[in-house]
Amino acid sequence: MEQDTVKAVKRTTGLVLILAVVAGLIGILLWLFGSPWGASDAQKAVQAYVAQTYPDQGLEVEKAEYRLSTRGYQARVEDKEKEDVFFTVSVKDGQILSDSYETDVIEKGNTVRRLEEAYTALVQEKLEEVELSVAVRPSVRLDSASLEKVQLGMAFSLEDTLQYSLMLALLYFVEQDNRIW
């Protein structure tokens, strides 16, 4: 009878330990990747916020994604008709933490980034045509004096009067012990 009791206690203890490990693993996974119900709640919170804050703008909310760095969720909000009208809304525990509409749309951050990327791609293409002996990575940035001239949705054009700064980074590799530095 005592042996049966000892076996039952061992089984129960083993089962409790296994359940504790499984619960711990589930907790870690939820902490790292968020939960489906948390994403759903964040999605609803962002949709309500956008409907209240930006009514009549035809904005669509994409799926909310978990961000470990804030332990909250972030959703992209965009206007499918206007390429530069998109921003992110961050949510934690059902509360809106931040909204990038001001910097991305009002201050034309999306348009500036798109124009800079287009000019950078053009410069990269031209540099590749020249076939330089060293690798060069261009980076084109809009001059601060031209920021006021940028208009939301402005098209890329070589004829515009915007001033840009060009930075070229020389990429060189030193091979040492069969490793590239």
Side-chain angles (χ1 to χ4, degrees), residues 109-124:
N110 293 333
T111 304
V112 168
R113 267 188 300 279
R114 182 176 50 78
L115 292 173
E116 289 175 345
E117 288 168 3
Y119 275 102
T120 298
L122 179 67
V123 170
Q124 181 67 47

Side-chain angles (χ1 to χ4, degrees), residues 1-141:
M1 182 101 167
E2 258 180 57
Q3 286 182 342
D4 291 339
T5 306
V6 170
K7 282 184 181 180
V9 168
K10 284 183 179 180
R11 267 193 224 137
T12 304
T13 304
L15 184 61
V16 167
L17 285 174
I18 289 172
L19 289 174
V21 168
V22 168
L25 288 174
I26 290 172
I28 289 171
L29 289 173
L30 290 174
W31 181 73
L32 288 173
F33 302 109
S35 68
W37 56 89
S40 175
D41 290 347
Q43 184 81 17
K44 289 174 188 171
V46 172
Q47 287 172 334
Y49 172 77
V50 167
Q52 179 183 359
T53 310
Y54 309 106
D56 304 323
Q57 287 196 29
L59 298 172
E60 295 180 21
V61 178
E62 292 184 2
K63 181 182 174 193
E65 296 178 354
Y66 184 71
R67 298 282 185 245
L68 180 60
S69 60
T70 61
R71 293 190 186 156
Y73 294 83
Q74 189 175 54
R76 179 181 161 115
V77 180
E78 65 182 20
D79 183 333
K80 297 286 186 189
E81 304 293 317
K82 300 173 186 168
E83 70 178 326
D84 292 331
V85 178
F86 62 90
F87 58 98
T88 57
V89 177
S90 298
V91 182
K92 184 175 181 181
D93 300 326
Q95 300 295 313
I96 303 299
L97 296 179
S98 66
D99 157 353
S100 68
Y101 186 84
E102 180 76 23
T103 56
D104 291 340
V105 179
I106 300 295
E107 294 174 6
K108 300 170 273 213
N110 293 333
T111 304
V112 168
R113 267 188 300 279
R114 182 176 50 78
L115 292 173
E116 289 175 345
E117 288 168 3
Y119 275 102
T120 298
L122 179 67
V123 170
Q124 181 67 47
E125 181 182 310
K126 297 299 179 189
L127 286 172
E128 288 170 2
E129 288 175 10
V130 176
E131 296 181 16
L132 298 171
S133 61
V134 294
V136 177
R137 181 180 25 203
S139 177
V140 178
R141 296 290 170 242

Side-chain angles (χ1 to χ4, degrees), residues 174-181:
V174 177
E175 193 171 329
Q176 179 181 358
D177 300 328
N178 295 327
R179 292 187 295 183
I180 295 178
W181 298 87

